[in-house]
Amino acid sequence: MKNPPQNQSPLKITRFDSCDSTNRLLLAAAEAGEPSGSVFIAREQVSGRGRRGRHWLAAPGESLTFSLLWTFEPEPARLTGLPLVVGLAVVRALALLAAERVDGVQLGLKWPNDLLLARAEGSYAKVGGVLVESVLRSSAHGQKELAVVIGVGLNCGECAEIKQQVSDQQVGSLSELWPDHVSSAQIFDAVVDQLIIDLSAFRERGFAAFSEAWNAVDLWRNRFVQICEQGTVLQEGFCRGVDADGALCIETVSGIKRIVSGDVSLRKV
């Protein structure tokens, strides 16, 4: 693992054989003063959390689940693009992880926080997700800061048990990307290294510096999609990627609509 930037404390990694949720534990630790740069990683999560209150499924030995604590100025509006930056960091890290790749399999993103595989035959499968939560606290210098817990869940192995439990979407594995075995430890080191780089840049420059790179790996870009909430179609049109603020842009018959809420489902039609 690389050395952290000069303005960031060295990583403090705490490992759990089993826990309910690394995000929940690290949020509680953040409120108690846990330093920025702390990482909680678990071999097994029994109550992992996903976006919109969903339960995140993870298989021991087949999944990688960890949470990273990072601090920012107490300006939540500036952090709207943070989940997108985290997803992009994962894609960037894994693109450099192994020299050989399986032909026809591409790792990319779906707004706002899904990591997907695009397979050669045209199907898509979810291989990971991001959950960002935060708490306002006092820094060591007595000023207010936003302690942000970034949770990452990745399917590294076959995850047959998860595939049996999920019926509303295809489940894939990062192992489909490479002809040779890549361990979850290798994936963890690569992803955390890239996160340190990109989070430091995001803190200084915001999401605008990442929007072009994010759009380049957006698997839904230029496809006809529907924006739905609780089964109701809110918007439909062509997905045109994200703007400099991280909002999803949908080209509808009445013009470009910006989607900023994370409580909607993006469906390819």
Side-chain angles (χ1 to χ4, degrees):
M1 190 173 293
K2 301 174 185 176
N3 292 325
Q6 290 184 351
N7 65 341
Q8 182 63 35
S9 302
L11 291 180
K12 173 189 173 186
I13 300 176
T14 303
R15 299 179 184 273
F16 300 88
D17 185 60
S18 179
C19 71
D20 58 352
S21 163
T22 56
N23 255 43
R24 189 197 67 77
L25 290 176
L26 192 49
L27 269 174
E31 290 187 282
E34 187 78 12
S36 181
S38 295
V39 179
F40 284 9
I41 180 172
R43 180 179 176 274
E44 178 186 32
Q45 279 193 135
V46 296
S47 298
R49 297 184 296 190
R51 190 171 65 93
R52 302 165 68 192
R54 292 177 174 173
H55 180 58
W56 179 262
L57 299 175
E62 302 287 340
S63 302
L64 172 62
T65 54
F66 71 90
S67 300
L68 167 66
L69 174 60
W70 207 261
T71 55
F72 296 90
E73 295 292 325
E75 301 175 24
R78 294 188 58 193
L79 303 184
T80 54
L82 181 56
L84 283 70
V85 171
V86 175
L88 178 61
V90 175
V91 173
R92 284 173 159 175
L94 299 186
L96 302 173
L97 187 54
E100 290 190 62
R101 301 288 289 265
V102 174
D103 291 338
V105 181
Q106 177 188 357
L107 178 64
L109 300 169
K110 187 188 87 169
W111 187 91
N113 69 338
D114 285 349
L115 290 112
L116 303 179
L117 285 184
R119 295 169 172 151
E121 85 282 2
S123 67
Y124 295 84
K126 184 172 178 177
V127 295
V130 173
L131 178 65
V132 174
E133 302 177 282
S134 63
V135 60
L136 188 65
R137 71 179 189 182
S138 296
S139 70
H141 304 290
Q143 299 174 327
K144 293 296 183 181
E145 65 180 10
L146 204 59
V148 178
V149 172
I150 299 161
V152 177
L154 299 171
N155 301 332
C156 301
E158 289 304 314
C159 299
E161 181 180 341
I162 296 176
K163 293 177 181 178
Q164 292 176 355
Q165 297 181 58
V166 177
S167 58
D168 61 342
Q169 61 184 317
Q170 289 198 48
V171 176
S173 165
L174 293 177
S175 62
E176 298 177 51
L177 287 169
W178 306 294
D180 300 318
H181 175 69
V182 176
S183 70
S184 59
Q186 290 174 284
I187 293 172
F188 172 72
D189 285 347
V191 170
V192 170
D193 283 345
Q194 190 65 49
L195 276 173
I196 292 170
I197 294 169
D198 288 350
L199 289 174
S200 296
F202 176 76
R203 179 156 48 189
E204 299 298 324
R205 300 158 59 195
F207 181 74
F210 296 87
S211 60
E212 183 176 351
W214 198 96
N215 284 326
V217 293
D218 177 8
L219 295 179
W220 263 217
R221 193 178 187 191
N222 297 326
R223 296 181 179 273
F224 194 80
V225 300
Q226 291 179 334
I227 304 297
C228 304
E229 183 170 18
Q230 297 181 346
T232 301
V233 177
L234 304 179
Q235 301 285 350
E236 63 179 18
F238 289 94
C239 177
R240 299 307 187 196
V242 298
D243 62 17
D245 297 320
L248 183 69
C249 298
I250 304 296
E251 184 180 351
T252 71
V253 292
S254 58
I256 296 292
K257 303 295 184 182
R258 298 175 73 252
I259 310 298
V260 297
S261 170
D263 293 327
V264 297
S265 297
L266 175 63
R267 297 179 182 175
K268 182 169 66 70
V269 179

